[in-house]
Amino acid sequence: MQIPSKLKPYYENIVFEQEDSKMIINLGPQHPSAHGNLRLILELDGEQVVKARPCIGYMHRGMEKMAENMIYQEFIPTTDRMDYIAASANNYAYCAAVEKLCGLEIPRRAAVIRMMLLELNRIASHLLWLATHALDIGAMSVFLYCFKDREYVLDLIEKYCGARLTHSSMRIGGVMLDLPEGFLAELLAFCENFPKSVKEYEDLLDDNRIWRLRTENVGVVSKDSALNWGCTGVMLRGSGIQYDIRKEEPYLLYNEIDFSVPYATQGDSYARYKVYMQEFRESLKILKQCVKLYKDTPPEILCNHPEYVSASKEQILTQNYSLMQHFVLITQGLKPPKGEVYVPTESPKGELGFFIHSDGNSRPYRLKARAPSFWHCAFFEEMLVGTYLADVIAIMGNVNLVLGEIDR
């Protein structure tokens, strides 16, 4: 190709032809497997990936900087938009960090309600993962089965907080609402029926020849690689490391609950699928125990700490001092003591934590979110090398990324 001399400076860094047979392609930046806009620059030798470079930032909203310009309570609905498939998990991780910073201990009933929301959210997130992952590989029926059952979970969450996607279901110091009438009965009915659905998913996929060919020995992650790349959640447990923050650093009332941490040793996509299936069952065990705990708790759902937490609605409507305190908290914001805190939690995708540096004002001086999808996306640089182009799609779906929490 002949380039005019006056245009040569603009083209000097562009390679029009390669000496070898390799080809560079762009996968994305709008691929459905990634639940957002992820761009993968893949260098292929035939159909085999020899180099992979993930490019992110297409959904960047500057959430951490937004948090530094909002009062603490104001930022809660923004956390919904990180992993928008598991909004309550984000709500809890942020509220827990602020509560630790302020030295707040939430009432027991609020802790039980939070656990119910978190486990329902975990089931809803895993169902969406299984539905879309199966659809990427070609299993249409599983997609429909999962969305049918996910509706029941979303109905329960909607019954509690009025929202199905971005819940904003928690408050600093506890929760704003007690469980509505009939909620526990519907929850127990779901817990009784859902195991049949999990069995249906396994009947459709466990011994399905196409599913196994597309997932076994695909996307293999060794134990050392999982640790070196900062993997958490199922990405870590699928490689033989039985690590769950709910067990290792218990929060809420998880230390009073009997549940197991599923794990597998093969480290491939099929092993991670089996871990997800078992996590459905463990979440149901937790939910059933939460119902028993709830019945034995006193009715308080918010901390009695006027400096940081508004009084109940009844007190605000009947007591002048409570109304004044509420007005100050809403207009000026709570002012935690100076210090730094980091609180890790086990979200459906792995370790989700918030670091907050407080200088004593009503806005964080610095806020940083540690989102699991960010680390798993970086791992693509190593994980995809040596795989085939068709397997890249299966791996992207299996890793369970949400770009909302990567870009933030």
Side-chain angles (χ1 to χ4, degrees):
M1 176 180 178
Q2 294 295 323
I3 302 172
S5 57
K6 64 179 180 180
L7 295 180
K8 281 185 178 179
Y10 300 101
Y11 286 86
E12 60 186 6
N13 294 322
I14 297 179
V15 178
F16 289 95
E17 296 180 7
Q18 293 186 187
E19 297 298 326
D20 54 26
S21 61
K22 296 183 179 66
M23 176 174 61
I24 296 174
I25 68 165
N26 282 287
L27 186 63
Q30 295 175 329
H31 199 280
S33 298
H35 297 297
N37 295 343
L38 173 66
R39 175 188 176 201
L40 286 175
I41 302 175
L42 302 176
E43 186 174 332
L44 304 177
D45 185 0
E47 291 191 20
Q48 192 172 38
V49 178
V50 295
K51 188 175 181 181
R53 184 156 65 92
C55 298
I56 61 176
Y58 294 93
M59 296 175 65
H60 183 59
R61 293 149 288 175
M63 284 189 177
E64 292 168 5
K65 185 54 66 177
M66 289 168 65
E68 295 162 17
N69 289 276
M70 293 179 173
I71 62 174
Y72 283 91
Q73 301 97 313
E74 233 181 334
F75 187 61
I76 295 173
T78 308
T79 62
D80 293 340
R81 277 79 181 168
M82 288 175 51
D83 178 3
Y84 36 79
I85 311 303
S88 289
N90 308 332
N91 296 160
Y92 172 71
Y94 173 69
C95 289
V98 179
E99 287 159 3
K100 186 174 181 180
L101 190 62
C102 297
L104 299 176
E105 185 174 346
I106 67 170
R108 190 173 176 84
R109 175 163 290 192
V112 175
I113 294 172
R114 283 183 174 187
M115 288 173 65
M116 289 180 180
L117 292 171
L118 289 174
E119 295 309 316
L120 284 171
N121 216 178
R122 186 180 306 276
I123 292 172
S125 176
H126 286 2
L127 282 171
L128 186 71
W129 166 81
L130 181 61
T132 53
H133 181 33
L135 190 64
D136 289 337
I137 294 179
M140 182 71 184
S141 297
V142 179
F143 178 87
L144 300 173
Y145 279 54
C146 289
F147 264 73
K148 178 201 71 174
D149 292 313
R150 187 168 174 267
E151 285 299 303
Y152 295 117
V153 181
L154 297 185
D155 286 345
L156 281 166
I157 295 173
E158 184 182 18
K159 189 178 181 70
Y160 175 75
C161 65
R164 298 170 71 83
L165 186 68
T166 49
H167 307 148
S168 195
S169 57
M170 301 179 194
R171 298 293 180 269
I172 296 166
V175 292
M176 285 301 292
L177 299 167
D178 204 346
L179 296 181
E181 187 178 349
F183 185 91
L184 292 180
E186 289 184 32
L187 178 60
L188 287 173
F190 170 76
C191 291
E192 290 302 317
N193 293 326
F194 189 58
K196 301 172 190 172
S197 298
V198 178
K199 177 76 165 51
E200 285 179 341
Y201 309 149
E202 291 178 329
D203 289 344
L204 286 166
L205 295 175
D206 273 12
D207 297 319
N208 184 295
R209 183 168 59 91
I210 299 173
W211 177 260
R212 296 192 73 141
L213 285 170
R214 295 301 308 276
T215 56
E216 286 187 318
N217 298 316
V218 172
V220 178
V221 179
S222 68
K223 185 182 294 186
D224 290 339
S225 293
L227 292 171
N228 291 339
W229 281 91
C231 294
T232 52
V234 176
M235 283 292 290
L236 188 64
R237 295 191 286 273
S239 297
I241 301 173
Q242 197 174 9
Y243 179 84
D244 189 308
I245 295 169
R246 294 171 296 173
K247 284 282 190 184
E248 303 298 325
E249 301 179 47
Y251 50 87
L252 297 175
L253 303 180
Y254 280 108
N255 57 340
E256 301 180 22
I257 295 289
D258 176 34
F259 69 101
S260 302
V261 179
Y263 74 103
T265 56
Q266 296 85 351
D268 60 6
S269 295
Y270 188 81
R272 289 189 287 274
Y273 150 73
K274 292 302 294 179
V275 173
Y276 275 110
M277 292 297 100
Q278 196 57 35
E279 285 204 356
F280 282 133
R281 297 183 171 97
E282 295 303 318
S283 288
L284 291 176
K285 283 170 59 178
I286 294 171
L287 285 169
K288 289 178 182 177
Q289 293 173 75
C290 283
V291 172
K292 295 178 181 177
L293 286 175
Y294 176 86
K295 293 176 179 178
D296 298 330
T297 57
E300 289 81 13
I301 57 172
L302 274 173
C303 293
N304 183 19
H305 206 308
E307 187 180 358
Y308 300 127
V309 182
S310 292
S312 67
K313 186 173 182 181
E314 182 182 2
Q315 289 174 307
I316 291 170
L317 292 173
T318 57
Q319 299 174 12
N320 191 39
Y321 176 77
S322 296
L323 176 62
M324 292 166 59
Q325 189 69 41
H326 174 71
F327 179 79
V328 171
L329 281 173
I330 295 302
T331 56
Q332 298 179 20
L334 63 90
K335 295 182 179 180
K338 294 181 180 180
E340 293 181 348
V341 68
Y342 173 75
V343 176
T345 65
E346 186 72 30
S347 85
K349 293 171 180 59
E351 181 181 333
L352 173 64
F354 281 88
F355 165 84
I356 301 175
H357 175 93
S358 168
D359 59 0
N361 290 317
S362 59
R363 293 167 174 78
Y365 178 78
R366 178 73 178 98
L367 182 140
K368 175 75 174 73
R370 192 270 185 213
S373 293
F374 181 84
W375 300 77
H376 299 159
C377 182
F379 189 23
F380 281 160
E381 288 190 5
E382 179 181 302
M383 190 180 184
L384 297 181
V385 174
T387 63
Y388 290 95
L389 182 59
D391 291 333
V392 170
I393 308 302
I395 293 170
M396 286 172 66
N398 187 266
V399 170
N400 195 9
L401 298 178
V402 163
L403 269 291
E405 70 175 11
I406 294 177
D407 292 335
R408 294 194 293 282

